Amino acid sequence: MPADYLVRRIAVFFIIVWAGATINFFMPRMAPVNPIRERLLQALSFGGAGKTDMEAVVATYEARFGLDQPLWKQYVRYLGDVAQLDFGVSIAYFPSKASDIILRALPWTLGLLTVATLIAFALGTLLGALLAWPKSPAFLHYLSAPLLALSAIPYYLLGLVLVFALGFTLRLFPLGGGFTLGTLPSPTFAFAMDVLYHSIVPGLSIVLSSVGFWALSMRGMMVTVQGEDYVNYAEARGLKSRDVFFRYALRNALLPQTTSLALAMGYVVSGAVLVEVVFAYPGVGTVLYRAIQTFDYFVIYGVVVMVILAIALVTLVLDIVYPLLDPRIAYKR
Amino acid sequence: MTGNRSRVALSVEDLRVHYHTERGAIRAVEGVSFDLLAGERLGLVGESGSGKTTTAMALMRLIRPPGRIESGRAQLGDLELLSLSDEQMRQARFAHISLIPQGVMNSLNPVMRVGAQIADTIQAHEQGPGGEKMRARVSDLLSLVELDPDTAQMYPHELSGGMKQRVGMAISVALRPQVIIADEPTSALDVVVQKRVMDTLFRVQGELDAAVILVGHDMGLMAQCVDRLGVMYAGRLVELGPVQQLLEQPLHPYTRLLVSSLPSLDRRGEFRGIPGLPPSLLDPPAGCPFHPRCPEAIDGCTTKIPGLTTVVADDDSARIERRAACHLHTGVTS
Amino acid sequence: MSASLLEARRVRMEFGGGLFERQRLVAVQGASLQLPADRPVVVAIAGESGSGKTTLARLLLGMIPPTSGSILYQGTELKQLDRSGYQVFRRQVQAVFQDPFGVFNPFYRVDHSLELPVSKFFPELTRDQRRERIEEGLRAVGLRAEETLGRYPHQLSGGQRQRIMVTRALLLDPKVIVADEPVSMVDASLRATILESLFRIHRERNISLVYITHDLTTAYQLSHTILIMYRGDVVEVGDVEQVIKAPRHPYTQLLVRSIPLADTKRRWGEDPDGEPAPSQGGAGPETTEQALSIANGTGGCPFADRCPHVMASCQQTNPSLVLTDPGRAAACHLYEEAPALSAEQIATLSHGGTEGT
Amino acid sequence: MNRASLAAMVRNHPQLVAGLAVVFVVVAFGPVGSLFVDTDLSRVGSAPANLTPTVDHLLGTDAAGRDLLAVMVAGTPLTLWVGFVAGVVGLGIGTILGFVAGYFGGWIDTVIRGAADVLMTIPGLLFLVVLATSLHTTVTVNMMALVVASLAWMIPTRTIRSQVLSMREAGYVQVARLSGLGDLEIIARELLPNLLPYLAASFVSAVGAAVLASIGLEALGLGPQNEPTLGMTIYWALYYTSLLRSVWWWWAPPMVIIVLIFVGLFLVSMGLDRIANPRMWKATS
């Protein structure tokens, strides 16, 4: 892989993170009233402090976080903080640092999401490919309609139905949580099985509602690819249809599919945040939900930056792997 | 067959291909018959929609729905191509009859190395040549078409148009077929490169002792490349004969007009187009399909379809036989 | 010096070279050509793909501005034309393109392509007058209105579509039509008809033609003079009869020999007069990109790597056009003794003017 | 349209017809429902709280004393409105930016494409969460629509840009220029008509994405607290743990309507896609 490609791609990574962080910084500051200040005043008034006291506390707080500085200084300082993953102190769980709260939740989300997304991607892509193959068994084609219907349902709504059906009505699975309440996280086999058991229904809701999307786009790509000259030529050369399918059609149809995997990660994250709320899963989504409920701004903004960072990382990795799949790409910009 | 008559490599009889659309059947190929002699170069010319490419694809059994081969026979040695099972036909492709498709330079798999695509073709037909042996064979094939053996390690996008054309050629001769069909093999190439590519094709053909069907619309290329020429019009073969006589004394009025419409380096400021339009294949006119445009049409032309009949025959060799599908030439002379 | 209608004066066109592109491609390298104002001429620009002929056509049409040099219409540089002057240029210099399908907007019937320019440039005409003008234009290229108007492009043949495009150009009363490979994508049997309609409007309506082609035989048929281009350079220019029948530049010689003639008595690779080739063209580059990067890389003759007559000087300097015969010039070190030419003299050679002799 | 052409339409474009029918039913649900149901009952405290479905309250009432059928009748048009406005605004911005970037190219293309690419990588919902929390004050339905629209323009921008980019080089654009047309005329008369089916399909997808985003925001509690939109209804259902209390009539009806909206829009966009890209679909089915 040429070095300039790598450099360019890493630059893109930083641009994405920078853009996300910047939006995060400026948006609350462009609002008519500073919501952070408002929230601080509100929190303090619950404490019964007088008006002048409150202003004093807020002023101290602002001085400590540099909120009284000129905007550009605040911005520079903020970028420095982001680089160190320091998002300030949680208002609701004072004095916990926002980054600690998020970092504790992040592995849960990443674990659930990565595994569920990859399963959905693999299953959906295979299914989509088979749907486009004239020789695939007929029953597969009957699968496409329900798959399409499932892909039209948002993740979290499907999650609701699954909780109700599998958890509440049939009592096969727990109603929520990442592990059985009362147990302590420990590196034991029993605990791992418990985590797995708790993740099946939330994972299922992600897989079920996104597998149709993958199947559909893969089928579309396969149909397009099967009209390509190189597939016709492979067939004309007397290659076995299995070879034509796997070595010529599938291989090429996978390329755009892989590109959209990176993009889809972002959308899955959005949807999965809500899945966590439905399942009270101890991930970033639940942290975000609670933060919104309590107007815990530093945690909210921290979550946003962390998730953007994670996604930018995933796209970076995929883009670095991509030239290995497509020999033409290294030459393109 | 022995004796004076030339040995026939491929015999095509009454080939019909129709495309079934909502508005009716498009008769793309309507009763085409010809013999391809061993080692000869036969050209098939015609304008787009005349059925020349469909004929080539039908011989490879690569007609896709809604198209269908309605009837015909294509005898290649012991094989009757049109009645083979799908699996038998797969095995026959490129082993007995191979194709350089139109635009072969854009038909290579972009994510596979060129050598692997040549090897694929061999492996699909032979048991187990692998590793070093296969590599040597691919190298030989690339050298045969005047490419560096290292080309095997390259991807298609790293090659020029002419080089990809040569790769297509290497693939088409990999299994030493008796017949090679080349469909407009040089239409996307510059004239200078075109000549070099055609020279290579015919040198390789000679080494293999294969017969070639050259499909195209460039009369100049045909004049310089083929032994015999077939002219197609509206899905039918209207004239077939040795290329020199066909160009100098065309029998069919369409051929005559076609030849006189060609630019040459003798005339300036003089253009002789063929008036009128080719007929609809969905609803062809009664009688000879050319009669609405024919300056020499006679009474029978509007009602009776002329068959391809021998006009000039020679018992010794099919190579100089001349045939035409025209009511003006019904008698056999010799 | 006689007044010129349309003129290219030492135009050079480079592509790329932007912030992110390392390589610049010189598509046209200092080409000069001229159409006279006093009489209609047919000038052919011939060359293989990547020779720069289409770029030169786009420059002449004012569709792209040259990197250096200038395009003049009736003596004024295009970029100095005022609004109304530009409108006149736009109307009077028209084009016919290669792809007879892509030039039609699939959303509209073919009428759209004809009505649009008329209503744009002749807004004073009534509906009936416009219709009459269109029908007359169709007749001029041998088409009948009732067989073509009201149809969608895919319902017509390639030949019909291309002749409608000739009509479109004709409707604007042009003085010049630039035809960029007008017959390379239509069937052989229809080519003659299209070329015939072009030739007829040249004769009957006194329209000058610039015929861009890779096919020397149709260039010979249609044009009075010809420019041979190779990798952005004009390598030979002059009277078509002389250039094709007795080419001076080794590249032109190779090109003429490579024409597959529909004549079995002339073997491919021989000169038209039957002389065998001195040697085959070497294994030169086969793609545009390769060719251009080589052309840009060295200071020598761009044909040096394929030339059978290559000499030491060919590797060092790129020869400029010299007058090899009356009315014809070639850019080759073989003719070093011949008199050098100014851009004006080259330009007049391109239309068979008298000053070059 | 006469009966024969209607039948032909159904036969040729079954997805489109079925999708339009589903969308029509959902759209009509609000206006028709309000003829039979008093939408004032969707206000807080207008009925006794936590009733199971009865003849008086067909879908029961929620913890805040709202008749859930009235909530559905009043809320469905609100959710559709959010999707519609966000779709129109998002596609409008996207079309303009896409045309500007694709047609004029140069640095402006680099800026627009870069902005769209970067913003597409950032998960939209999180971005909206920041936006919605920053707005802080009580959100209205129209604000909701604009918030969602702020992220609905990137995909249309990107896709329209690439379409324009390929069309810009088309022969007919060059011919139009030779025929004396200016840039704006070329965009309006030559390019736009060819994009119409494509724009229609984009609009449908944009509406779907906007509905999805608005419901997501609302389910997180960032929606218009005082409006009975479908997403807010789900939020309240989650807030009062209706799931664990087995009060299915609270969360199931909004969900059924949401699913109907998505299935309907999905079918329509599939049908339109078939019209816009016939080649893609020819080979199968």
Side-chain angles (χ1 to χ4, degrees):
Chain A
M1 183 185 339
D4 58 337
Y5 176 82
L6 196 64
V7 170
R8 216 156 43 213
R9 200 49 203 79
I10 290 174
V12 170
F13 166 80
F14 282 113
I15 289 174
I16 291 171
V17 176
W18 167 78
T22 303
I23 290 165
N24 226 353
F25 176 82
F26 282 104
M27 203 138 357
R29 283 163 180 80
M30 288 196 305
V33 285
N34 184 344
I36 302 173
R37 188 189 156 90
E38 286 289 296
R39 173 60 194 151
L40 277 174
L41 283 171
Q42 198 188 346
L44 288 166
S45 74
F46 284 130
K51 178 87 178 154
T52 44
D53 288 350
M54 289 189 330
E55 289 291 348
V57 173
V58 168
T60 319
Y61 192 90
E62 285 187 340
R64 191 177 147 208
F65 287 101
L67 297 182
D68 53 348
Q69 303 268 319
L71 200 60
W72 70 268
K73 271 194 181 164
Q74 287 186 41
Y75 180 57
V76 171
R77 180 180 165 153
Y78 165 81
L79 288 183
D81 287 347
V82 166
Q84 297 165 43
L85 296 185
D86 180 359
F87 310 110
V89 176
S90 163
I91 299 173
Y93 295 94
F94 190 85
S96 298
K97 287 178 76 177
S99 50
D100 289 343
I101 296 175
I102 300 163
L103 283 175
R104 221 175 305 138
L106 201 61
W108 291 96
T109 300
L110 287 184
L112 178 66
L113 277 188
T114 319
V115 173
T117 307
L118 289 179
I119 291 175
F121 176 79
L123 267 181
T125 301
L126 188 69
L127 207 65
L130 290 175
L131 281 177
W133 194 22
K135 294 195 175 169
S136 66
F139 77 89
L140 275 177
H141 295 271
Y142 297 109
L143 265 180
S144 52
L147 275 177
L148 294 185
L150 281 176
S151 73
I153 305 174
Y155 303 111
Y156 44 95
L157 293 187
L158 190 66
L160 269 177
V161 177
L162 289 180
V163 169
F164 185 74
L166 300 177
F168 188 81
T169 311
L170 297 175
R171 305 201 179 272
L172 287 174
F173 290 97
L175 293 170
F179 50 92
T180 308
L181 281 176
T183 57
L184 279 177
S186 57
T188 59
F189 179 73
F191 182 73
M193 288 313 289
D194 190 41
V195 169
L196 190 66
Y197 179 57
H198 279 78
S199 66
I200 285 176
V201 184
L204 196 63
S205 70
I206 294 173
V207 170
L208 276 184
S209 54
S210 57
V211 79
F213 166 81
W214 292 117
L216 203 65
S217 72
M218 184 64 183
R219 176 181 161 278
M221 268 326 292
M222 285 297 287
V223 170
T224 310
V225 164
Q226 281 177 337
E228 293 286 344
D229 288 341
Y230 51 78
V231 171
N232 292 334
Y233 186 41
E235 197 181 317
R237 270 141 60 195
L239 267 61
K240 298 191 179 82
S241 61
R242 189 167 25 100
D243 287 341
V244 176
F245 184 73
F246 285 107
R247 302 190 61 185
Y248 287 77
L250 189 70
R251 179 80 205 278
N252 281 285
L254 266 178
L255 296 176
Q257 190 82 346
T258 319
T259 325
S260 57
L261 177 62
L263 210 60
M265 273 310 228
Y267 295 97
V268 175
V269 167
S270 296
V273 161
L274 285 147
V275 172
E276 289 185 3
V277 174
V278 170
F279 289 95
Y281 202 73
V284 175
T286 305
V287 168
L288 180 72
Y289 181 69
R290 287 212 197 99
I292 290 170
Q293 302 286 305
T294 55
F295 298 97
D296 198 345
Y297 292 102
F298 296 106
V299 173
I300 296 176
Y301 301 151
V303 166
V304 174
V305 173
M306 285 300 261
V307 172
I308 289 170
L309 205 62
I311 290 167
L313 208 63
V314 172
T315 47
L316 174 67
V317 170
L318 276 172
D319 276 3
I320 288 174
V321 174
Y322 194 73
L324 303 178
L325 301 174
D326 187 347
R328 289 163 300 179
I329 207 71
Y331 287 78
K332 288 188 195 157
R333 260 210 305 150
Chain B
M1 245 181 267
T2 49
N4 282 336
R5 282 192 72 95
S6 321
R7 195 165 57 84
V8 174
L10 172 70
S11 172
V12 179
E13 233 176 278
D14 194 32
L15 181 66
R16 272 168 223 274
V17 183
H18 293 181
Y19 285 86
H20 299 272
T21 69
E22 278 176 24
R23 294 186 298 149
I26 294 174
R27 297 163 200 191
V29 176
E30 191 68 0
V32 165
S33 307
F34 63 87
D35 284 347
L36 176 69
L37 308 177
E40 85 162 335
R41 304 172 194 164
L42 174 73
L44 275 186
V45 287
E47 49 205 276
S48 48
S50 62
K52 56 190 194 302
T53 293
T54 309
T55 302
M57 294 311 263
L59 294 177
M60 293 298 295
R61 286 261 302 270
L62 291 169
I63 301 290
R64 285 169 198 278
R68 203 168 66 201
I69 299 172
E70 302 291 326
S71 71
R73 289 171 57 79
Q75 194 72 41
L76 173 72
D78 308 332
L79 302 173
E80 202 286 277
L81 296 176
L82 303 187
S83 59
L84 293 179
S85 73
D86 285 350
E87 175 58 20
Q88 286 169 328
M89 187 62 214
R90 182 190 72 70
Q91 287 171 7
R93 284 189 195 126
F94 276 61
H96 299 288
I97 180 167
S98 73
L99 174 74
I100 304 174
Q102 204 167 0
V104 66
M105 57 172 69
N106 300 318
S107 301
L108 296 169
N109 188 347
V111 299
M112 254 170 100
R113 291 177 203 277
V114 161
Q117 301 192 51
I118 301 177
D120 257 8
T121 316
I122 299 172
Q123 262 151 0
H125 296 89
E126 290 175 12
Q127 294 302 312
E132 208 41 57
K133 226 171 153 187
M134 177 63 92
R135 220 160 300 147
R137 206 158 147 192
V138 169
S139 290
D140 288 348
L141 281 167
L142 288 170
S143 318
L144 185 67
V145 295
E146 291 152 37
L147 286 173
D148 190 303
D150 290 343
T151 313
Q153 293 307 311
M154 294 170 90
Y155 288 102
H157 73 269
E158 298 170 306
L159 306 180
S160 73
M163 289 162 89
K164 281 186 271 192
Q165 201 75 33
R166 286 167 192 272
V167 171
M169 225 183 270
I171 294 176
S172 72
V173 298
L175 298 155
R176 309 183 70 87
Q178 298 98 294
V179 175
I180 303 168
I181 303 176
D183 190 357
E184 307 243 10
T186 59
S187 62
L189 299 175
D190 281 325
V191 274
V192 178
V193 180
Q194 173 177 315
K195 175 158 173 13
R196 283 196 252 144
V197 168
M198 291 311 288
D199 286 345
T200 308
L201 176 62
F202 293 133
R203 188 180 49 70
V204 172
Q205 175 215 356
E207 280 172 35
L208 253 62
D209 198 26
V212 167
I213 300 179
L214 186 65
V215 177
H217 66 259
D218 184 343
M219 278 292 221
L221 194 69
M222 292 297 173
Q224 298 299 336
C225 293
V226 301
D227 307 315
R228 287 196 304 148
L229 189 59
V231 179
M232 291 194 69
Y233 185 79
R236 296 167 188 276
L237 198 56
V238 295
E239 182 161 0
L240 179 67
V243 66
Q244 188 175 352
Q245 281 131 292
L246 189 139
L247 286 173
E248 285 168 6
Q249 297 167 312
L251 295 173
H252 197 284
Y254 173 68
T255 315
R256 185 152 40 240
L257 286 171
L258 190 63
V259 170
S260 73
S261 80
L262 298 172
S264 75
L265 294 186
D266 302 319
R267 289 180 277 121
R268 279 179 59 189
E270 209 186 307
F271 305 89
R272 301 191 200 125
I274 306 178
L277 289 171
S280 152
L281 298 175
L282 206 56
D283 180 24
C288 171
F290 189 62
H291 85 255
R293 299 169 79 183
C294 185
E296 298 163 61
I298 51 176
D299 282 351
C301 296
T302 53
T303 49
K304 230 176 101 221
I305 300 176
L308 191 68
T309 49
T310 306
V311 180
V312 181
D314 187 317
D315 287 339
D316 291 337
S317 171
R319 289 179 197 274
I320 59 165
E321 185 181 82
R322 301 195 63 187
R323 311 175 109 204
C326 179
H327 291 306
L328 298 172
H329 304 280
T330 43
V332 179
T333 56
S334 45
Chain C
M1 179 182 144
S2 63
S4 76
L5 178 63
L6 181 64
E7 183 177 350
R9 203 176 276 171
R10 292 190 189 281
V11 284
R12 181 182 174 86
M13 189 69 214
E14 294 175 6
F15 290 111
L19 204 53
F20 300 103
E21 286 161 272
R22 265 155 292 171
Q23 210 164 24
R24 277 179 315 163
L25 299 179
V26 181
V28 175
Q29 193 139 231
S32 298
L33 97 105
Q34 194 183 68
L35 304 179
D38 51 353
R39 65 201 152 88
V41 293
V42 185
V43 177
I45 303 175
E48 296 175 279
S49 57
S51 63
K53 57 187 193 299
T54 291
T55 306
L56 187 52
R58 285 164 59 89
L59 286 165
L60 287 171
L61 285 166
M63 299 179 89
I64 42 172
T67 311
S68 69
S70 47
I71 304 287
L72 298 91
Y73 188 62
Q74 294 182 327
T76 316
E77 239 188 277
L78 286 195
K79 59 183 176 199
Q80 280 163 2
L81 285 173
D82 59 12
R83 205 182 157 74
S84 68
Y86 187 79
Q87 284 295 309
V88 171
F89 163 75
R90 186 63 300 143
R91 182 172 67 75
Q92 293 186 343
V93 179
Q94 282 298 324
V96 176
F97 294 107
Q98 177 175 21
D99 173 7
F101 195 73
V103 288
F104 287 93
N105 192 331
F107 185 79
Y108 296 106
R109 297 169 202 276
V110 295
D111 312 32
H112 173 82
S113 309
L114 299 176
E115 271 161 12
L116 200 66
V118 179
S119 59
K120 203 73 201 168
F121 284 110
F122 305 100
E124 70 281 1
L125 296 184
T126 65
R127 219 185 126 79
D128 287 344
Q129 285 170 318
R130 286 207 296 266
R131 174 85 188 184
E132 201 174 302
R133 196 183 171 89
I134 288 170
E135 289 185 3
E136 193 256 300
L138 287 172
R139 273 196 300 277
V141 298
L143 290 174
R144 281 204 299 258
E146 60 272 23
E147 282 175 355
T148 47
L149 295 183
R151 311 250 180 135
Y152 281 96
H154 66 265
Q155 294 169 318
L156 298 174
S157 77
Q160 285 174 313
R161 287 195 293 258
Q162 198 59 297
R163 278 186 285 162
I164 289 178
M165 276 295 129
V166 177
T167 308
R168 189 205 67 84
L170 204 57
L171 288 176
L172 300 176
D173 279 340
K175 289 198 176 352
V176 181
I177 292 179
V178 178
D180 186 1
E181 303 253 16
V183 294
S184 71
M185 284 173 77
V186 296
D187 274 313
S189 62
L190 300 171
R191 284 180 189 173
T193 322
I194 293 165
L195 293 174
E196 185 185 10
S197 33
L198 279 171
F199 193 69
R200 203 163 63 205
I201 61 173
H202 154 69
R203 289 289 276 276
E204 291 171 6
R205 305 198 177 203
N206 296 330
I207 295 171
S208 283
L209 301 177
V210 178
Y211 176 58
I212 316 281
T213 186
H214 66 273
D215 178 6
L216 291 184
T217 49
T218 55
Y220 178 80
Q221 251 187 320
L222 190 63
S223 59
H224 305 118
T225 54
I226 188 166
L227 279 80
I228 306 285
M229 293 191 71
Y230 183 69
R231 300 189 198 172
D233 270 318
V234 177
V235 296
E236 188 156 355
V237 53
D239 178 73
V240 73
E241 189 80 44
Q242 292 186 55
V243 172
I244 303 282
K245 288 292 167 68
R248 290 293 179 203
H249 196 283
Y251 174 66
T252 316
Q253 292 166 356
L254 173 65
L255 212 52
V256 172
R257 280 198 305 273
S258 301
I259 306 172
L261 284 171
D263 181 348
T264 47
K265 289 193 205 76
R266 284 172 179 163
R267 291 313 299 173
W268 208 5
E270 281 173 357
D271 281 335
D273 297 332
E275 278 176 48
S279 110
Q280 289 293 330
E286 285 178 348
T287 65
T288 314
E289 295 77 21
Q290 262 177 308
L292 287 170
S293 62
I294 293 169
N296 295 340
T298 65
C301 172
F303 191 60
D305 56 338
R306 296 166 76 179
C307 186
H309 309 288
V310 65
M311 305 175 289
S313 57
C314 300
Q315 308 286 4
Q316 281 132 27
T317 51
N318 191 0
S320 44
L321 284 167
V322 293
L323 194 70
T324 54
D325 307 80
R328 186 243 301 256
C332 179
H333 286 302
L334 288 175
Y335 312 101
E336 218 122 59
E337 273 87 80
L341 290 166
S342 69
E344 288 76 34
Q345 288 169 312
I346 295 166
T348 44
L349 276 181
S350 70
H351 63 72
T354 49
E355 267 135 292
T357 52
Chain D
M1 193 187 286
N2 60 35
R3 196 174 298 168
S5 67
L6 191 69
M9 178 86 182
V10 172
R11 196 176 50 243
N12 293 334
H13 305 288
Q15 289 108 328
L16 187 62
V17 172
L20 285 174
V22 172
V23 171
F24 178 77
V25 166
V26 179
V27 170
F29 175 68
V32 173
S34 65
L35 299 178
F36 301 96
V37 180
D38 181 7
T39 49
D40 284 348
L41 289 173
S42 66
R43 294 213 192 106
V44 172
S46 58
N50 293 325
L51 292 180
T52 49
T54 60
V55 181
D56 285 341
H57 302 283
L58 286 172
L59 291 175
T61 60
D62 71 2
R66 291 180 289 199
D67 177 89
L68 283 164
L69 183 59
V71 166
M72 289 302 100
V73 170
T76 304
L78 290 178
T79 293
L80 289 172
W81 176 248
V82 171
F84 177 77
V85 171
V88 167
V89 175
L91 184 67
I93 297 172
T95 306
I96 293 169
L97 289 181
F99 266 101
V100 168
Y103 190 81
F104 295 104
W107 65 268
I108 193 156
D109 176 38
T110 313
V111 170
I112 292 175
R113 192 185 44 183
D117 279 359
V118 168
L119 284 178
M120 271 181 69
T121 323
I122 298 171
L125 192 71
L126 294 185
F127 180 88
L128 294 176
V129 163
V130 174
L131 189 59
T133 46
S134 303
L135 288 171
H136 186 67
T137 42
T138 315
V139 181
T140 65
V141 167
N142 284 333
M143 274 169 72
M144 191 72 202
L146 291 180
V147 167
V148 172
S150 70
L151 276 195
W153 57 270
M154 288 101 65
I155 295 181
T157 298
R158 253 172 69 128
T159 50
I160 289 169
R161 175 188 168 273
S162 66
Q163 296 272 327
V164 172
L165 212 57
S166 64
M167 284 197 304
R168 188 180 65 171
E169 297 305 318
Y172 59 83
V173 172
Q174 300 194 22
V175 168
R177 196 164 288 137
L178 287 175
S179 298
L181 260 66
D183 286 331
L184 289 180
E185 281 175 301
I186 288 176
I187 290 177
R189 296 185 68 170
E190 302 287 326
L191 300 186
L192 210 52
N194 283 301
L195 269 185
L196 285 178
Y198 193 79
L199 287 177
S202 294
F203 175 69
V204 173
S205 319
V207 170
V211 170
L212 184 69
S214 78
I215 292 173
L217 274 183
E218 289 168 350
L220 283 171
L222 290 167
Q225 302 265 336
N226 302 326
E227 303 281 0
T229 63
L230 299 177
M232 285 318 292
T233 310
I234 288 186
Y235 171 71
W236 293 121
L238 283 174
Y239 191 85
Y240 289 107
T241 60
S242 63
L243 210 59
L244 306 184
R245 289 159 53 198
S246 196
V247 282
W248 58 266
W249 52 88
W250 194 343
W251 55 265
M255 208 155 85
V256 168
I257 294 177
I258 290 169
V259 169
L260 279 180
I261 293 175
F262 283 119
V263 169
L265 290 177
F266 183 78
L267 288 172
V268 171
S269 79
M270 234 167 78
L272 286 173
D273 194 43
R274 257 181 123 121
I275 296 173
N277 306 309
R279 172 187 129 98
M280 216 181 68
W281 296 90
K282 219 184 280 167
T284 56
S285 75

